[in-house]
Amino acid sequence: MSDLILFWHRRDLRISDNTGLATARKQSPKVVGVFCLDPNILERDDIAPARVTYMIGSLQSLQKRYAQAGSQLLILHAEPTQAIPKLAIALKAKAVFWNWDVEPYSQERDRTIIEALKEKGIQFLEKNWDQILHSPDDIRTGSQQPYTVYTPFWKNWSSKPKAKPVETLENAEGLTKAEKEIAEASGVIELPSAKDLGFHWDGELVITPGEAAAQERLEEFCASAVNEYQEQRNFPAVEGTSKLSAALKFGVIGIRTVWQATLEALENSRSDETATNIRTWQQELAWREFYQHAMYNFPQLAEGAFRDPFKNFPWENNEEYFQAWCEGRTGYPIVDAAMRQLNELGWMHNRCRMIVASFLTKDLLINFQWGEKYFMQKLIDGDLSANNGGWQWSASSGMDPKPLRIFNPASQSQKFDFEGEYIRQWVPELRSMDAEYLVTGKISPLERHAVGYPDPIVDHNKQQRLFKERYQQQKSQT
DNA sequence: CCACACTTGAC
DNA sequence: TCAAGTGTG
């Protein structure tokens, strides 16, 4: 009988283009998948029902794909540092393979598991990267330091050749009946629903779970919207973005597959203009990777501000303002539309993520970490590196040597939702108003009250002056 | 140490 | 035009 290799899926919920899984299959025909529902993660207070629902749906389709290949995906619901070694020992596995992750929690957990496996002589893959195109140890400045500015990172990163997608798991031997019983005795359970885990999401998901849906989404995007990406991605009322964020967060699609698709789109592009649009999307993929490398190299990013002036910033942290922001009743139409989209869909257009983040930090003077956490509680694609990177960028507390960037909600509406289409969609009480009023937000108190729409909770001009003052103060003190 | 450059902006 | 001072080569 062949040696068993357990492949531990974490944020790589697919059998195609999976580097660790492909390596496992090359070493043995008997490869069985395992996923551990981790209470350390699921019991945190920053978990979104939409995200768990997407994850469970993707696990369902992953189970089907394993079954089609002739093997199984086993489910555990327990502390992984105990449950993974326990299962491997019980099944007499030769090895447990998995793909490496940049998050501080994952790295600590994995080190503990490696110690336990080593003790039992069970093999593992050291630092096998899968969800990024280059190892964060490989992208360095001339003085061997990690990059802290995007553009030089991009120049270096984009000049390096990228790996092609790796082989799909076409067939594998699974557990025997007797082994299945051993697995069950070692904690393997049926896949629970999101509801079983205490997460309720009743609406439709804005992104369909599973490998097939992600692949389809990629092909559809690369066949059309990517060619006008540079401009169209900015309009929140337009479907101009890839909507691949959740699939990329959970590795429901492989990043090499995505990159390959950009190269093919470039080859097929008929004009320089189209090529520029595709390259703009490539740059967004590089941003994702920049933030993952940053998290790996500077794990303190997860704890708070990166730049000194923001380490002890005198935020107001007004609870009522925060509630108004969360619920989309700040009295600023574009901000409220965006927050309501987030609450209803578990997803927000990227342009609006920047607008509401700027508003929370620069206008309401609330610590970006409050907003960062709220996003994690709602987003289907919520990811530590990407979310933290975005929030620190908006707060001006991150890796951006540029001056303060304060978004004006009215100018943003004017540029990106000039007909008020997005606002009307998400703030129904304003639906009958002329675009001019929606965009400028200059709606009289009388009219606001008539439709039940709140007065602005703060004055943008006043608040941005206040923010700048405090920033200058902090800068001189540090 | 110098020269150059720096996601998405505002006025 | 001012962002505004620092990362990077």
Side-chain angles (χ1 to χ4, degrees):
Chain A
M1 204 161 57
S2 323
D3 288 326
L4 168 65
I5 299 181
L6 282 178
F7 187 78
W8 180 19
H9 290 269
R10 298 109 59 87
R11 41 187 302 169
D12 49 357
L13 307 185
R14 64 182 192 283
I15 60 166
S16 65
D17 187 23
N18 184 323
T19 59
L21 181 60
T23 303
R25 183 60 186 81
K26 274 188 196 125
Q27 294 194 12
S28 173
K30 185 159 177 169
V31 176
V32 172
V34 57
F35 184 87
C36 186
L37 294 155
D38 183 347
N40 298 315
I41 296 173
L42 290 169
E43 288 170 20
R44 285 195 327 223
D45 63 353
D46 65 347
I47 305 302
R51 193 159 71 248
V52 176
T53 305
Y54 178 84
M55 180 184 82
I56 295 288
S58 294
L59 284 167
Q60 275 170 355
S61 53
L62 185 60
Q63 276 194 322
K64 282 193 197 124
R65 300 210 60 175
Y66 264 98
Q68 284 160 4
S71 182
Q72 300 98 9
L73 173 71
L74 310 175
I75 305 295
L76 296 165
H77 187 186
E79 167 67 46
T81 53
Q82 319 251 309
I84 294 288
K86 185 178 158 192
L87 181 67
I89 292 162
L91 289 172
K92 298 189 168 63
K94 176 181 83 164
V96 181
F97 284 0
W98 67 87
N99 294 314
W100 215 251
D101 188 45
V102 297
E103 294 187 13
Y105 167 73
S106 306
Q107 303 225 355
E108 194 192 324
R109 175 195 59 198
D110 293 357
R111 276 191 288 272
T112 308
I113 289 173
I114 283 176
E115 286 314 307
L117 295 177
K118 267 187 186 163
E119 223 171 82
K120 298 287 177 183
I122 299 170
Q123 296 169 28
F124 54 91
L125 284 182
E126 186 106 53
K127 265 201 194 180
N128 184 76
W129 295 109
D130 172 73
Q131 55 176 322
I132 43 186
L133 289 161
H134 295 292
S135 159
D137 295 309
D138 290 347
I139 307 295
R140 292 289 139 127
T141 66
S143 51
Q144 296 309 308
Q145 293 302 111
Y147 284 94
T148 58
V149 175
Y150 172 75
T151 302
F153 170 90
W154 159 255
K155 283 182 184 145
N156 184 339
W157 182 91
S158 62
S159 73
K160 287 192 154 52
K162 312 276 183 278
K164 291 260 159 46
V166 299
E167 277 169 40
T168 301
L169 184 82
E170 299 291 355
N171 59 74
E173 283 172 35
L175 297 183
T176 63
K177 205 172 166 222
E179 284 172 324
K180 278 185 198 165
E181 280 167 21
I182 294 171
E184 274 162 34
S186 305
V188 168
I189 56 167
E190 294 281 308
L191 178 65
S193 68
K195 277 199 182 79
D196 294 337
L197 297 168
F199 296 94
H200 298 270
W201 185 265
D202 290 325
E204 211 178 310
L205 288 173
V206 73
I207 302 172
T208 311
E211 238 174 304
Q215 185 67 40
E216 219 172 282
R217 186 80 204 95
L218 173 67
E219 282 163 21
E220 197 187 315
F221 178 69
C222 286
S224 56
V226 76
N227 297 310
E228 298 171 88
Y229 181 72
Q230 193 167 31
E231 212 191 331
Q232 295 300 311
R233 65 170 175 156
N234 281 312
F235 302 113
V238 172
E239 287 258 351
T241 64
S242 75
K243 290 247 180 96
L244 280 168
S245 52
L248 284 167
K249 186 258 163 11
F250 286 106
V252 177
I253 197 158
I255 190 63
R256 289 157 300 280
T257 301
V258 174
W259 192 261
Q260 188 65 34
T262 69
L263 297 181
E264 281 162 22
L266 276 174
E267 265 176 43
N268 297 335
S269 71
R270 300 266 168 95
S271 67
D272 289 352
E273 204 193 319
T274 310
T276 304
N277 280 282
I278 297 162
R279 274 192 210 97
T280 304
W281 191 48
Q282 285 187 328
Q283 290 225 28
E284 293 307 309
L285 295 168
W287 270 100
R288 168 180 172 275
E289 195 139 330
F290 176 65
Y291 284 142
Q292 290 205 30
H293 286 207
M295 187 55 68
Y296 174 86
N297 290 309
F298 306 100
Q300 69 269 30
L301 279 166
E303 307 304 322
F306 185 74
R307 290 179 57 208
D308 282 337
F310 290 96
K311 284 183 179 157
N312 292 299
F313 196 83
W315 301 107
E316 302 253 298
N317 292 339
N318 180 313
E319 301 266 3
E320 280 176 30
Y321 287 176
F322 181 63
Q323 275 314 311
W325 179 84
C326 290
E327 291 164 19
R329 41 180 188 80
T330 65
Y332 282 82
I334 188 78
V335 173
D336 294 339
M339 293 307 293
R340 295 182 197 187
Q341 180 182 39
L342 174 65
N343 292 331
E344 280 186 46
L345 294 186
W347 182 85
M348 193 196 290
H349 189 277
N350 184 56
R351 165 62 53 187
C352 299
R353 296 190 197 198
M354 294 186 289
I355 297 171
V356 302
S358 177
F359 191 81
L360 185 80
T361 53
K362 311 288 168 61
D363 287 68
L364 300 181
L365 286 95
I366 290 174
N367 190 331
F368 74 87
Q369 290 177 297
W370 291 28
E372 183 188 354
K373 182 171 172 179
Y374 190 73
F375 269 28
M376 290 305 279
Q377 290 171 334
K378 295 287 173 185
L379 282 173
I380 190 171
D381 56 28
D383 168 74
L384 174 65
S385 307
N387 191 46
N388 177 271
W391 273 96
Q392 296 237 27
W393 184 87
S394 289
S396 309
S397 68
M399 305 182 151
D400 190 353
K402 284 246 179 196
L404 291 185
R405 242 183 284 260
I406 299 174
F407 280 32
N408 182 321
S411 332
Q412 289 287 320
S413 305
Q414 181 64 55
K415 279 188 201 154
F416 306 116
D417 190 39
F418 46 87
E419 288 178 342
E421 194 183 344
Y422 178 75
I423 291 169
R424 283 200 192 90
Q425 189 182 348
W426 294 105
V427 189
E429 64 266 39
L430 297 181
R431 214 162 261 175
S432 59
M433 279 184 199
D434 286 346
E436 190 195 332
Y437 297 106
L438 300 180
V439 164
T440 59
K442 285 180 183 158
I443 309 165
S444 73
L446 210 65
E447 278 180 286
R448 286 170 186 266
H449 297 167
V451 296
Y453 186 69
D455 290 324
I457 54 173
V458 292
D459 176 75
H460 171 70
N461 285 327
K462 202 176 124 204
Q463 294 303 103
Q464 65 151 341
R465 278 196 299 275
L466 183 59
F467 184 90
K468 282 176 182 166
E469 265 170 43
R470 294 207 182 168
Y471 174 67
Q472 291 305 330
Q473 239 170 39
Q474 289 303 300
K475 237 181 14 163
S476 58
Q477 280 171 26
T478 52

